[in-house]
Amino acid sequence: MLLEINDLKVTYGGAIALNGVSLNIERGEAVGLVGSNGAGKTSLFKAISGIVPAEGSITFDNKDLLALKAHEVPSLGLAHVPEGRRLFPRLSIEDNLLLGGSSTHVVDQSDFDRVYKLFPKLLERKTQLAGTLSGGEQQMAAIGRALMSRPEILMLDEPSLGIAPVLVEGIYKAIAQLRDEGQTILLAEQNVMECLEVCNRTYVLQTGQVVTSGPSDELAENDEIRKAFLGI
Amino acid sequence: MNLLRVEGITKYFGGLAANKDITFEVEEGELLGVIGPNGAGKTTLFEQISGFKKPSEGRVILDGKDITAQRPDKICSAGLARTFQIVKTFPELTVLENVMIGSFHRESSSRAARKYAGEVLERVRFSHKADALGKELTLAGRKRVEVARAVATRPRILLLDEAMAGLNKQESAEAVEVVRDLRKEVTVVMIEHVMEILMPLSDRIVVLVEGQKLLEGTPEEIASNPQVLAAYLGERFAARNK
Amino acid sequence: MNVNGLPQGSSVWGMVRQYLPWVLFLGFFALYPIVFDSPSDHTLGIKMMWFAIAATGWNMLGGFAGQISLGHATFFGVGAYAVALADEYEWNPWLAMILGMGVAAIIAVIIGWPVFRLKGHYFTIATIGTGEIAFLLVRNSEFLGGTEGFLMRSDEGFLNFYWGGRQKWEFYYLGFVLLLLAVVSTVMISKSRMGYYLQAIRNNQEAASSLGVPIAKYKQLAFIYSAVFVSIAGSYFAQQLQFAGPDEAFSLDTSIRITIIAVIGGVLSKWGPMIGAIVFLFLSEWTNIRFGGNGFDLVIFGFIVMVMAAFEPNGLIGLGNRFAHLLEKAKS
């Protein structure tokens, strides 16, 4: 097991965000996480990345993540692409990518090649400042930056948020391609179909708890997901 | 006749419309749920109804009287009370004193205000915490105090802004019971993210998406509506479930 | 009322808690001139009285309602000048004091009306401005004695607000009665709707207004109350000194002293201003003897206020309560 989460609890000043979530990911798997606003997707990501304190256990590659500090997590091979992307707006795409890899290893041309092959658009615009990109292009750059660290696991938080439908399609093609290359992926989404199609397995989160999980194609067939989102 | 009528409420922040032409009515005795994804403009709508923000356009009519953009304390006098999404318990006052601030609205003597506050705490099942300070409470406790305080002003209509968010299962079950009790005596409009709670509780639901009213209807109508499905689960999921 | 943040128990300990401050403070102030019976002690005691009255008045607005004013010298000055003018034109000083209270109230309304419609720290900034304006107006007004102010020649006697003269225990007790008046009315207000509303305003204005509290009106009431009692302190001050001048009565320095006394004692308690007055007086006498009367005491007090703000916003009363909590914990 590459990532194993057991009975995870996260609270913010008394407000419960996660209430006993368990989840695991095998190497090479693409795992989805769907749930409406406030279900706890982002909190789970933040807990894995060590940005918020949590109770329970998170084991990554046999290491106890909760015992580590936030800045120690990326070098283990977890790359988190946060909601809203958070690029360095005044740096070029190329420099943003470079920064993504340089904290973990010496970046070489093959790292850039992998990203540019995945998103040819980034190659065309590599000297452009990140802040001047469209939302979809920024998302590509953010995913690219995360890939530069050669992550064991790529964590994507709502990559379709605020992006035009045409570009969403492009981003999901790239995610599928990464999956096919054997990249381990944890994907949080509100757009349920996109998530079910790209992920092998999916967990459904509702008010801080996993209400159901299973192979994505099976989940697509039953009504659980709709219930989780809309209550009835 | 309806108790509350929201008429063409529109709110611009700079050039951005947080609410666009929202119209709906609340009948006396009803429990109306307001749902919508993050950023749909639910809280902004409450802020305008309760007088904390001035609508750019539109009117708020309470029991036939225009209360648009009146001061919050005047709106409270007119019979509308609210709670806050980000709780605003008085930290240095005890629970009983928190509720007294509400009951003083209709009682001028401290003795009467204290007595009524005690009764309200009884009703919302929180008497056992009467002497605790606001700052000592858990989130669930703070939310309960907010409800009690608002009820103590003896409103005809109560606006609850996410009174259950962030609570654990048991806490929110208790809060649901409290709301079930209260709604027997007062009209309730509630914003809630937790659908499994709101859906069974509501008589009717208004759905806001991107600042606009998408539709209103019974919980069953809402849960099977393709537009709602699209807003919550994505266009493609909704299309497939048609 | 639970201004100290301590639940009141019905136990003996709770009773002691409730009444001990009354016994301690009033006992101390009542016995002071008997225990310390030299004229210079009495002068000190009289000073302590007007500090305590002024800070108690200031505290209704600054403590209960949480609206920090740095312009209360204006009201102090109004009280002082009211009796000084009475002396000049041979009116009765008591009546002048009452007239001064009325003028202070009117000025509070004129300042408060526009300012309380603003949010945030505008009130504090505005009061610095209004304080300075009043100071300059008085200094430049010939009718009000210009930069010189007024020297007074009161005749001794209760009716002349000069009972026993400036260094006598009788005059001290006049002040004690005025202080009692301030404390008792503060206690009564704190137990009334107004007291609760002011605390709600200090705690959270938005929540208060959602519960039907007319914010501006209650701030205004607190402002009037505090202006009135600070003006009483000003009248008492001028009667003792037999002098009223702009630098002594109307300056920012005076405003800051009043504020510091309340803050040191602890703004959330009705007893805070009195503790503040006692501590302020003795520390400032001590520094004046040790370092000369060059305002060095304010340096020390500035430092104390900074430390208080950082560690115990509720002042010495807050420290005392913490200590009591520890004691209780140790007991159980």
Side-chain angles (χ1 to χ4, degrees), chain C:
Chain C
M1 173 68 35
N2 182 31
V3 277
N4 299 339
L6 289 170
Q8 286 171 358
S10 54
S11 61
V12 178
W13 181 241
M15 295 278 283
V16 170
R17 266 286 176 69
Q18 203 173 349
Y19 294 108
L20 193 65
W22 286 96
V23 175
L24 280 181
F25 282 101
L26 300 183
F28 174 81
F29 284 125
L31 295 177
Y32 174 87
I34 298 166
V35 177
F36 304 100
D37 62 350
S38 76
S40 68
D41 288 333
H42 291 169
T43 307
L44 218 62
I46 290 164
K47 247 181 158 175
M48 195 160 66
M49 282 300 126
W50 58 259
F51 278 154
I53 299 165
T56 301
W58 181 92
N59 202 41
M60 180 60 67
L61 182 68
F64 281 72
Q67 306 298 305
I68 305 294
S69 158
L70 284 174
H72 265 50
T74 302
F75 308 112
F76 196 77
V78 165
Y81 274 59
V83 293
L85 283 168
D87 186 72
E88 192 77 5
Y89 295 100
E90 299 186 356
W91 306 329
N92 182 282
W94 286 112
L95 287 180
M97 180 182 90
I98 292 165
L99 210 65
M101 291 157 70
V103 173
I106 292 167
I107 293 175
V109 172
I110 294 170
I111 296 173
W113 185 262
V115 174
F116 286 139
R117 274 148 191 80
L118 302 171
K119 277 186 183 167
H121 294 292
Y122 291 106
F123 178 72
T124 306
I125 294 162
T127 54
I128 296 175
T130 56
E132 286 303 283
I133 290 169
F135 176 59
L136 291 173
L137 284 179
V138 171
R139 273 178 73 96
N140 290 299
S141 154
E142 210 155 302
F143 170 71
L144 293 175
T147 53
E148 303 281 308
F150 297 99
L151 273 171
M152 296 161 61
R153 294 162 307 273
S154 300
D155 294 327
E156 269 191 37
F158 180 81
L159 286 179
N160 295 320
F161 200 166
Y162 200 48
W163 195 20
R166 60 202 294 179
Q167 291 192 326
K168 294 289 163 54
W169 60 267
E170 291 95 331
F171 192 75
Y172 173 92
Y173 280 114
L174 265 187
F176 182 58
V177 170
L178 294 175
L179 177 64
L180 269 182
L181 191 70
V183 174
V184 169
S185 62
T186 298
V187 169
M188 280 168 62
I189 287 176
S190 76
K191 289 185 168 165
S192 74
R193 169 152 76 180
M194 176 166 161
Y196 283 91
Y197 273 7
L198 293 181
Q199 295 202 61
I201 290 169
R202 182 188 71 232
N203 272 253
N204 194 313
Q205 293 195 28
E206 286 199 330
S209 93
S210 81
L211 297 169
V213 180
I215 306 283
K217 177 183 154 190
Y218 277 93
K219 283 184 183 171
Q220 186 68 73
L221 286 174
F223 195 15
I224 292 170
Y225 174 94
S226 76
V228 165
F229 275 94
V230 170
S231 92
I232 291 175
S235 297
Y236 183 66
F237 157 88
Q239 282 299 129
Q240 190 226 355
L241 284 191
Q242 288 289 296
F243 171 69
D247 297 328
E248 287 72 20
F250 276 96
S251 64
L252 181 61
D253 197 72
T254 303
S255 293
I256 291 175
R257 275 172 209 269
I258 295 171
T259 307
I260 285 178
I261 291 166
V263 170
I264 286 179
V267 294
L268 301 187
S269 163
K270 51 189 172 287
W271 305 112
M274 273 162 267
I275 283 221
I278 297 168
V279 171
F280 186 88
L281 194 86
F282 285 106
L283 268 181
S284 96
E285 286 304 312
W286 179 75
T287 54
N288 281 349
I289 293 162
R290 185 78 181 71
F291 302 104
N294 50 9
F296 189 76
D297 54 337
L298 284 185
V299 174
I300 292 183
F301 288 116
F303 181 73
I304 295 179
V305 167
M306 269 163 49
V307 172
M308 291 282 178
F311 299 107
E312 181 48 72
N314 202 7
L316 291 172
I317 290 275
L319 282 181
N321 281 338
R322 280 193 193 192
F323 188 66
H325 261 311
L326 283 180
L327 271 183
E328 248 168 295
K329 259 195 197 143
K331 275 201 318 182
S332 57

Side-chain angles (χ1 to χ4, degrees), chain A residues 13-16 19 36-37 190-194 196-197 206-207 209 220-221 223 225-226 229-232, chain B residues 37-38 139 166-169 171 193-196 199 219-220 223-224 228-229 232-237 240:
Chain A
I16 297 165
N19 196 6
S36 58
N37 271 318
Q190 274 199 81
N191 279 317
V192 175
M193 282 316 289
E194 279 77 359
L196 292 177
E197 280 169 5
Q206 180 189 7
T207 54
Q209 289 178 311
E221 294 309 315
D223 204 28
I225 292 186
R226 197 183 61 85
F229 275 70
L230 291 173
I232 55 172
Chain B
N38 271 346
L139 182 77
L167 308 192
N168 69 29
K169 281 265 185 287
E171 289 165 344
H193 261 311
V194 189
M195 295 289 196
E196 56 186 309
M199 286 293 194
E220 291 72 25
S224 56
V228 176
L229 287 177
Y232 272 85
L233 295 105
E235 294 284 350
R236 294 186 40 228
F237 186 92
R240 208 191 58 125

Side-chain angles (χ1 to χ4, degrees), chain A:
Chain A
M1 206 62 71
L2 183 59
L3 182 70
E4 198 171 349
I5 295 173
N6 265 313
D7 199 22
L8 196 69
K9 289 194 177 75
V10 171
T11 57
Y12 298 108
I16 297 165
L18 286 184
N19 196 6
V21 168
S22 298
L23 171 157
N24 54 61
I25 304 176
E26 298 274 10
R27 208 177 287 275
E29 240 189 338
V31 170
L33 200 58
V34 298
S36 58
N37 271 318
K41 303 185 297 293
T42 298
S43 296
L44 179 59
F45 273 37
K46 284 183 172 169
I48 297 172
S49 301
I51 301 168
V52 297
E55 285 171 53
S57 77
I58 307 177
T59 317
F60 175 73
D61 210 6
N62 296 322
K63 286 182 270 303
D64 177 10
L65 283 195
L66 293 183
L68 299 176
K69 297 197 173 66
H71 67 271
E72 295 170 327
V73 173
S75 60
L76 294 177
L78 286 120
H80 180 178
V81 182
E83 191 185 316
R85 306 173 289 266
R86 313 254 170 88
L87 294 170
F88 300 102
R90 308 291 296 274
L91 296 181
S92 68
I93 291 182
E94 200 169 24
D95 288 343
N96 266 286
L97 292 179
L98 186 60
L99 279 168
S102 50
S103 67
T104 49
H105 58 94
V106 180
V107 174
D108 63 35
Q109 191 56 42
S110 70
D111 292 310
F112 284 107
D113 290 344
R114 183 181 184 209
V115 173
Y116 291 146
K117 203 178 127 227
L118 196 64
F119 300 116
K121 219 172 204 164
L122 295 182
L123 179 60
E124 289 167 30
R125 311 216 160 162
K126 66 178 185 182
T127 56
Q128 200 173 320
L129 298 188
T132 65
L133 300 177
S134 74
E137 291 161 346
Q138 287 192 15
Q139 187 63 59
M140 294 174 191
I143 295 172
R145 184 176 63 179
L147 288 172
M148 292 294 286
S149 68
R150 301 178 191 167
E152 286 278 358
I153 179 163
L154 180 66
M155 299 176 10
L156 302 168
D157 193 0
E158 301 221 22
S160 68
L161 196 75
I163 292 172
V166 196
L167 291 173
V168 171
E169 206 175 310
I171 284 165
Y172 270 88
K173 267 189 189 143
I175 296 172
Q177 197 178 329
L178 286 170
R179 176 199 62 199
D180 294 342
E181 287 169 11
Q183 172 71 54
T184 313
I185 294 169
L186 177 59
L187 168 71
E189 253 307 342
Q190 274 199 81
N191 279 317
V192 175
M193 282 316 289
E194 279 77 359
C195 186
L196 292 177
E197 280 169 5
V198 82
C199 293
N200 312 105
R201 286 190 303 122
T202 296
Y203 290 81
V204 181
L205 220 55
Q206 180 189 7
T207 54
Q209 289 178 311
V210 174
V211 286
T212 180
S213 65
S216 300
D217 44 1
E218 284 176 23
L219 282 177
E221 294 309 315
N222 68 39
D223 204 28
E224 292 275 343
I225 292 186
R226 197 183 61 85
K227 275 190 190 156
F229 275 70
L230 291 173
I232 55 172

Side-chain angles (χ1 to χ4, degrees), chain B:
Chain B
M1 201 181 84
N2 58 66
L3 182 57
L4 179 74
R5 179 173 161 76
V6 171
E7 207 173 274
I9 288 286
T10 300
K11 179 71 185 173
Y12 294 104
F13 291 118
L16 218 70
N19 284 160
K20 269 179 274 182
D21 196 22
I22 296 175
T23 297
F24 63 88
E25 290 173 0
V26 188
E27 299 297 326
E28 181 116 49
E30 188 177 33
L31 195 150
L32 180 78
V34 178
I35 67 169
N38 271 346
K42 303 182 294 292
T43 294
T44 304
L45 179 67
F46 264 29
E47 298 284 311
Q48 293 170 88
I49 297 173
S50 57
F52 282 85
K53 287 196 173 78
K54 189 176 185 287
S56 309
E57 289 161 31
R59 298 196 303 160
V60 182
I61 316 285
L62 180 65
D63 199 19
K65 285 188 283 288
D66 191 338
I67 57 162
T68 317
Q70 285 193 7
R71 263 191 356 231
D73 55 290
K74 293 269 166 73
I75 289 180
C76 178
S77 302
L80 185 146
R82 67 167 294 186
T83 68
F84 295 89
Q85 181 187 12
I86 298 160
V87 287
K88 298 183 193 295
T89 324
F90 302 122
E92 296 161 351
L93 301 187
T94 66
V95 166
L96 185 70
E97 288 167 349
N98 263 275
V99 182
M100 281 172 74
I101 301 299
S103 59
F104 266 124
H105 190 58
R106 313 273 182 205
E107 306 282 359
S108 54
S109 88
S110 296
R111 185 189 299 265
R114 179 172 286 114
K115 182 162 173 285
Y116 191 65
E119 287 168 26
V120 172
L121 279 179
E122 204 67 52
R123 268 167 70 193
V124 303
R125 304 165 197 199
F126 210 53
S127 306
H128 58 289
K129 287 281 184 189
D131 292 328
L133 288 179
K135 63 183 168 197
E136 296 167 351
L137 300 175
T138 61
L139 182 77
R142 285 170 206 218
K143 292 199 167 189
R144 189 77 59 89
V145 169
E146 292 230 335
V147 173
R149 250 174 16 182
V151 168
T153 66
R154 303 190 196 182
R156 300 185 61 193
I157 184 164
L158 188 61
L159 268 54
L160 304 177
D161 194 351
E162 297 207 15
M164 324 265 173
L167 308 192
N168 69 29
K169 281 265 185 287
Q170 193 204 333
E171 289 165 344
S172 55
E174 279 175 33
V176 166
E177 282 314 302
V178 168
V179 173
R180 274 191 207 282
D181 278 355
L182 289 176
R183 65 155 303 178
K184 291 173 195 158
E185 289 146 57
V186 62
T187 308
V188 177
V189 182
M190 63 191 289
I191 294 176
E192 200 56 66
H193 261 311
V194 189
M195 295 289 196
E196 56 186 309
I197 288 174
L198 190 73
M199 286 293 194
L201 210 52
S202 304
D203 299 319
R204 272 189 323 129
I205 293 202
V206 167
V207 187
L208 299 187
V209 174
E210 290 170 7
Q212 281 172 304
K213 185 175 91 174
L214 186 68
L215 76 159
E216 60 179 282
T218 64
E220 291 72 25
E221 286 164 7
I222 298 298
S224 56
N225 183 287
Q227 284 174 291
V228 176
L229 287 177
Y232 272 85
L233 295 105
E235 294 284 350
R236 294 186 40 228
F237 186 92
R240 208 191 58 125
N241 271 259
K242 254 181 191 163

